[in-house]
Amino acid sequence: MANQAQPSVPHVRTPAALRARKLRAILGPDWKVAIPFVTPMVLIMVGLILWPFIDAIFLSFTSLNFLTGKTVDVGFRNYARLPSNSDYVLSMQNTIKFTAWSLTIKLATGMTIALILNSRIPYRSLLSGIMLLPWIVPEIVTALAWKSIFDPLFGGLNPILMGIGLIDRPLGWLSDPNLAMPSVIAVNVWKGIPFYVLLLLAGLKAVDREQLEAAEVDGANVVQRFRYVTLPGLRYVIVVTLLLSFISTFNQFGLIFLMTGGGPSGATKLYSILAYEKAIGSLQYGPGIAIAFSVAPLMAILIWLLAKFMRAEDRQAVVERDTRFLDRIAKLAQQALDLILDLIFLPFQIILKGFGALSRMFRKMSKGGASKPLFKRAGQERMGVLGRLLILIPFMLFVLFPFYWVVITSFKSTPQISQRVSIFWPDPATLDQYKSLIWDTPFLTWLFNSAFIATVSTLVSVSLASLAAYALSRLKFTGAGLLTTFLLITYLLPGTLLFIPLYQTLTSLGLINTYGALIITYPTFLLPFATWVMLGYFRSIPIELEEAAMIDGASRLYVFWKITLPLAAPALLAVALFAFTNAWNEFLFAFVFINSESLRTLPIGLLSMVVGDILPWGELMAASLLTAIPVAILYVFAQRFLTEGLTIGGVKG
């Protein structure tokens, strides 16, 4: 009887255990751990992006009655009036023209430069670095540098064109309604070249070399190889590049506002500038938001397309569905595109055939007969390298001239600038402009403000992004996929759709004209990008390292802090550098949210140095150079980590 087995007692689940199990089934196994990791990011995204955006939608249905001072509901009247508003129609025409020409020229220019830099040429790394210089230049520096170059009296462009006989009198590049739009498009192209070159160069490195060699063996010339092998291989890179560029170019504000203010006579007034003038300048928030939100459907479609292309888990599905998708929806568009491309490449084919005919004619006239090539293979390669360098030289001059102009102008004396003596060289060189800038203006205060705000907002954004990215890449909880999608949407959401509702939110919180206004709003555009890159990098780190540590009893927070985060140091540095650069260069939020001179950042401080038509070019160029130097130094020292961090994060993300 002593050895008789005792009956087993059934395990009774307590109500608390049942609730915990049900919560795990609904919210996911890691939901408790995920809460502290993602909550800060969710609060920022909801509180400073989603809620102001929703509030702005309701606000767009209102209007301010100036007689009573009250805001009244007007329904869809703000939107209904837009098609008949001449200012709105003109601004949309300008926006479409600006965007279409900018994208076309940037794609053609970026593709040409990327093809040359992808070939065998000497000093390729140096030339590639030079082509990326406009990327790191603050928008205010870009605008002031080119505004100085375009100046009809003291600028450098008119003397050059008059010297080579292209014009016979000085032209007002930014004051002539017929020249202002082409001028700002040229500056936008200059600023956008690095973006196109970088992405297209990465795409060219992924094109199958064996296919190119096979096409060459089959007798395809260089134009045919590019048209039928290289270009199809770059299809998705080109689509993503154009979509990203379209979103940023269509919503451009700072560059045009700083150069022309939308003038002359509205010739360069884009819809974003009109929305600012209406909402902030005239305090008509409802009509102003209606102008900004009138492009929201277009932005939604573009962001949806980009999300389909950029999300890693959707890429393969996009590729697999591509043929069916095009057959069903875009077959005619594809045929039209092929026809356009054939027409574009037809002149190049004719020119190439003409060169071939001339070459054969010279070979027949030579002593060796038709079988002897005009140049030996080594000679052909040298001629090819020389030809590519000759094509690259004009682009190099276009990229480098603004830097040269800023440097030499900053070392000129004010009399030398005003008297137009020795236009292209300081004679004699002087530091007077730098002395006047530091001692006679609040430049050092602006410098401190920019450094403080950029540093704090970078620390906040990178810290919260690291936590959120780790949770999204490692933890299993309900809503992770939705949160990732929302993250991408906020990353792509243009600032022109946010600054008006954010202004309203900050006003209600009493934060307008404080450091806090920028410190809490900068993460709205820094945090999504930082999280997206860190998400890709965390996915590249082997999960086995963390699992081994947790088997030994380590907590998830300990694993994140002691194991995963140190391994992600290159990505952290890259993201921090990008975040700091964007915060350092930011213009729109600082311009709208800050009024006090003692709180101005460098971009707004430099703008305040321009009083009416009086532009102290020497001090402005000195300030521009000093503003660009800190970011340039950071990029030089962090270049290796920057490439590694963004490459892995961009590919895996």
Side-chain angles (χ1 to χ4, degrees):
M1 294 293 294
N3 295 328
Q4 185 175 355
Q6 298 293 326
S8 59
V9 179
H11 179 69
V12 179
R13 298 183 185 275
T14 63
L18 290 173
R19 284 195 300 270
R21 184 177 181 182
K22 186 178 292 186
L23 282 175
R24 284 171 59 87
I26 296 174
L27 301 179
D30 299 323
W31 72 275
K32 282 187 177 180
V33 182
I35 287 178
F37 279 87
V38 300
T39 297
M41 184 189 72
V42 171
L43 290 176
I44 288 178
M45 292 171 68
V46 172
L48 293 176
I49 298 177
L50 183 60
W51 170 246
F53 192 83
I54 295 174
D55 185 52
I57 294 176
F58 291 104
L59 194 61
S60 69
F61 299 121
T62 66
S63 182
L64 176 65
N65 188 321
F66 286 99
L67 294 178
T68 62
K70 295 181 179 180
T71 300
V72 296
D73 293 330
V74 294
F76 287 92
R77 192 173 67 186
N78 290 332
Y79 292 95
R81 287 178 172 178
L82 292 180
S84 60
N85 186 315
S86 59
D87 290 337
Y88 176 77
V89 173
L90 177 62
S91 70
M92 290 305 300
Q93 291 174 346
N94 289 338
T95 304
I96 293 171
K97 184 191 303 184
F98 174 76
T99 303
W101 279 108
S102 295
L103 262 63
T104 302
I105 298 173
K106 282 190 282 190
L107 179 60
T109 304
M111 182 67 76
T112 302
I113 296 173
L115 287 169
I116 294 174
L117 295 178
N118 193 50
S119 63
R120 295 179 180 177
I121 57 173
Y123 308 108
R124 184 167 57 180
S125 298
L126 176 62
L127 295 175
S128 299
I130 291 174
M131 284 300 172
L132 299 180
L133 283 176
W135 191 13
I136 65 175
V137 177
E139 193 172 51
I140 181 69
V141 175
T142 300
L144 290 177
W146 279 100
K147 194 169 183 177
S148 175
I149 292 170
F150 285 138
D151 192 288
L153 296 178
F154 311 112
L157 182 59
N158 279 329
I160 293 176
L161 297 181
M162 293 173 66
I164 60 179
L166 290 180
I167 59 175
D168 57 0
R169 58 184 176 82
L171 299 178
W173 297 97
L174 299 178
S175 58
D176 187 335
N178 296 319
L179 296 176
M181 181 60 78
S183 299
V184 296
I185 288 173
V187 178
N188 184 262
V189 169
W190 182 86
K191 185 69 173 173
I193 283 177
F195 177 75
Y196 278 76
V197 171
L198 192 64
L199 293 186
L200 293 174
L201 195 56
L204 286 170
K205 294 183 184 299
V207 173
D208 192 347
R209 291 268 178 192
E210 293 182 358
Q211 291 186 12
L212 289 170
E213 293 170 358
E216 186 176 8
V217 170
D218 291 339
N221 58 40
V222 62
V223 175
Q224 291 170 331
R225 293 198 299 273
F226 176 75
R227 168 67 181 90
Y228 297 106
V229 180
T230 304
L231 206 57
L234 291 174
R235 179 175 51 180
Y236 289 104
V237 173
I238 291 174
V239 168
V240 171
T241 303
L242 285 176
L243 286 174
L244 283 169
S245 182
F246 185 95
I247 291 173
S248 87
T249 306
F250 195 87
N251 296 285
Q252 178 63 251
F253 174 84
L255 198 62
I256 312 298
F257 185 83
L258 289 166
M259 294 187 68
T260 65
S265 303
T268 60
K269 183 175 291 185
L270 308 185
Y271 93 92
S272 56
I273 297 178
L274 181 64
Y276 164 80
E277 291 178 348
K278 205 76 170 176
I280 308 301
S282 302
L283 296 179
Q284 298 183 52
Y285 297 116
I289 293 174
I291 292 172
F293 277 28
S294 65
V295 304
L298 174 62
M299 293 299 107
I301 294 172
L302 295 176
I303 290 172
W304 177 80
L305 288 173
L306 263 174
K308 289 295 182 183
F309 278 100
M310 292 179 66
R311 286 194 59 179
E313 57 266 34
D314 292 340
R315 269 186 212 143
Q316 187 59 37
V318 169
V319 173
E320 292 173 355
R321 295 194 306 266
D322 185 58
T323 303
R324 186 179 63 184
F325 180 78
L326 290 176
D327 287 343
R328 187 172 66 247
I329 296 179
K331 187 174 182 179
L332 291 176
Q334 184 67 39
Q335 292 174 349
L337 180 61
D338 288 338
L339 179 61
I340 293 172
L341 289 174
D342 289 338
L343 291 174
I344 291 174
F345 285 100
L346 181 60
F348 296 98
Q349 291 274 30
I350 295 173
I351 293 172
L352 198 62
K353 287 182 179 179
F355 277 117
L358 287 174
S359 176
R360 288 191 296 272
M361 183 181 68
F362 281 119
R363 284 159 56 185
K364 288 180 180 179
M365 295 171 59
S366 64
K367 295 180 180 180
S371 61
K372 184 178 180 181
L374 192 61
F375 296 103
K376 294 182 180 180
R377 185 172 182 82
Q380 291 177 355
E381 291 182 358
R382 285 195 293 270
M383 290 296 294
V385 170
L386 179 61
R388 290 191 291 271
L389 289 176
L390 288 176
I391 295 173
L392 192 61
I393 285 175
F395 297 114
M396 295 285 294
L397 294 175
F398 178 58
V399 167
L400 288 175
F401 182 72
F403 294 97
Y404 174 76
W405 182 258
V406 168
V407 172
I408 64 167
T409 305
S410 69
F411 287 105
K412 291 179 181 179
S413 63
T414 300
Q416 183 182 349
I417 296 173
S418 59
Q419 296 171 12
R420 305 178 67 189
V421 178
S422 183
I423 296 176
F424 298 106
W425 189 255
D427 184 25
T430 177
L431 295 175
D432 289 349
Q433 306 296 351
Y434 292 92
K435 295 176 182 177
S436 177
L437 176 70
I438 293 174
W439 297 113
D440 299 337
T441 70
F443 179 80
L444 295 180
T445 301
W446 304 334
L447 181 68
F448 170 79
N449 292 338
S450 287
F452 175 73
I453 292 170
T455 301
V456 175
S457 58
T458 297
L459 289 174
V460 171
S461 300
V462 174
S463 301
L464 300 184
S466 300
L467 291 169
Y470 180 80
L472 293 173
S473 64
R474 288 291 193 263
L475 305 180
K476 297 178 181 179
F477 59 96
T478 302
L482 180 63
L483 190 57
T484 304
T485 301
F486 186 57
L487 181 74
L488 181 58
I489 292 173
T490 55
Y491 168 43
L492 299 172
L493 199 65
T496 49
L497 296 183
L498 289 177
F499 77 93
I500 299 175
L502 280 176
Y503 182 84
Q504 285 285 96
T505 302
L506 294 174
T507 301
S508 62
L509 294 175
L511 291 176
I512 287 294
N513 210 32
T514 66
Y515 284 133
L518 301 183
I519 291 174
I520 69 171
T521 55
Y522 278 9
T524 60
F525 61 86
L526 300 179
L527 185 58
F529 169 78
T531 307
W532 188 255
V533 175
M534 292 301 299
L535 177 62
Y537 202 94
F538 283 142
R539 285 173 176 168
S540 70
I541 298 175
I543 196 173
E544 291 79 10
L545 297 174
E546 301 177 18
E547 291 175 344
M550 286 190 289
I551 289 174
D552 292 337
S555 66
R556 179 65 74 172
L557 184 60
Y558 180 89
V559 168
F560 166 74
W561 183 255
K562 293 293 185 179
I563 297 177
T564 310
L565 207 57
L567 292 174
L572 279 172
L573 183 58
V575 167
L577 180 57
F578 261 75
F580 184 87
T581 303
N582 288 334
W584 180 270
N585 297 342
E586 202 280 327
F587 171 79
L588 178 58
F589 285 3
F591 178 68
V592 175
F593 302 155
I594 299 296
N595 299 317
S596 172
E597 180 178 311
S598 62
L599 297 177
R600 288 172 181 164
T601 58
L602 278 171
I604 312 307
L606 267 62
L607 178 63
S608 69
M609 294 174 65
V610 180
V611 182
D613 294 331
I614 302 175
L615 295 97
W617 286 125
E619 289 185 10
L620 285 172
M621 294 302 100
S624 298
L625 188 60
L626 293 179
T627 301
I629 284 176
V631 177
I633 293 174
L634 287 175
Y635 271 86
V636 169
F637 282 101
Q639 185 177 8
R640 178 171 63 88
F641 298 102
L642 180 67
T643 304
E644 180 183 352
L646 289 183
T647 299
I648 296 178
V651 172
K652 297 293 183 181

